[in-house]
Amino acid sequence: MSETDSTHTDDQVVGKGRPTPRRKDREAAARRPLVSNNRKERKSRQREQRDKARDGMARGDERYLPLRDKGPQRKWVRDFVDSRWNFGEFLIPMMFAVIIATFLPSMEAQVISIMVLWAFFALAIIDAFWLGRQVRRGLGAKYGPENVEKGVRWYGAMRALQMRGLRLPKAQVARGEKPA
């Protein structure tokens, strides 16, 4: 044997290097649940996580946004829609007014209210098309016409049809303010 072989055998550890755990300890570890039995603690932790995610989404934090809302172009569209008045955001209150008007005893008032609703609905659709063109043009000027994402016109139109207070993520710009 050479010198290197003898030193090599001295450095080797025989066995696993730690004592075998006792059976009682192993069984106790196996009995412990993998998930905490404290439901109140788990529910409060989940509630905190949901609240944090909801607040982050309302603020427009990219980490908490769903995939459809992520990206700089979508943020620009949100800001553009929020910076203007849209006919679509008044559509739901107008529908409630028409429902109330249908309870009036006058048939003429009921028919007129329905016609006004249809006219307002047509205005909201025309406004949504016009908004889509402005969004396409604005994003084309900022990012280049070939770099505009698909679906931004529809995204802007759907946001414009929602009442401002119910939009998520919440409006980050005031009306009349230009998006960055």
Side-chain angles (χ1 to χ4, degrees):
M1 252 198 221
S2 70
E3 252 181 65
T4 57
D5 289 340
S6 66
T7 58
H8 182 65
T9 56
D10 291 341
D11 292 340
Q12 287 181 342
V13 176
V14 178
K16 61 186 171 213
R18 62 179 170 77
T20 303
R22 292 181 298 175
R23 181 179 194 149
K24 185 170 96 175
D25 296 337
R26 285 185 301 173
E27 288 175 352
R31 250 182 275 143
R32 260 187 269 137
L34 297 175
V35 179
S36 171
N37 276 340
N38 192 348
R39 289 183 179 168
K40 287 184 179 181
E41 178 185 322
R42 187 175 56 227
K43 282 187 178 185
S44 69
R45 199 174 330 117
Q46 289 174 343
R47 188 180 311 113
E48 287 172 9
Q49 289 174 345
R50 279 192 308 269
D51 291 344
K52 185 178 176 183
R54 190 179 309 115
D55 291 342
M57 184 174 166
R59 283 191 322 271
D61 189 350
E62 285 282 326
R63 293 174 293 176
Y64 299 106
L65 292 178
L67 191 58
R68 72 161 197 265
D69 294 325
K70 286 187 178 184
Q73 290 188 22
R74 300 290 171 124
K75 178 171 180 8
W76 188 91
V77 171
R78 284 194 305 270
D79 291 345
F80 184 79
V81 170
D82 294 339
S83 70
R84 65 191 291 264
W85 291 93
N86 304 294
F87 280 103
E89 62 188 283
F90 300 108
L91 200 55
I92 293 175
M94 180 65 80
M95 288 181 187
F96 279 121
V98 169
I99 289 172
I100 291 170
T102 58
F103 290 114
L104 294 175
S106 170
M107 186 58 95
E108 294 88 20
Q110 292 177 8
V111 170
I112 289 172
S113 67
I114 297 285
M115 291 198 163
V116 167
L117 176 66
W118 279 106
F120 199 82
F121 189 67
L123 283 173
I125 290 173
I126 291 168
D127 184 48
F129 277 115
W130 179 250
L131 171 74
R133 290 190 58 176
Q134 288 178 319
V135 162
R136 183 70 112 172
R137 212 177 292 145
L139 285 175
K142 185 168 182 162
Y143 296 103
E146 64 280 347
N147 296 329
V148 175
E149 293 177 4
K150 289 185 176 183
V152 291
R153 293 174 69 180
W154 183 256
Y155 180 73
M158 290 297 103
R159 188 165 176 91
L161 291 174
Q162 296 174 358
M163 292 192 313
R164 185 178 173 95
L166 300 178
R167 294 177 187 162
L168 273 180
K170 298 284 184 195
Q172 304 291 318
V173 297
R175 292 192 199 268
E177 191 178 325
K178 294 294 177 194

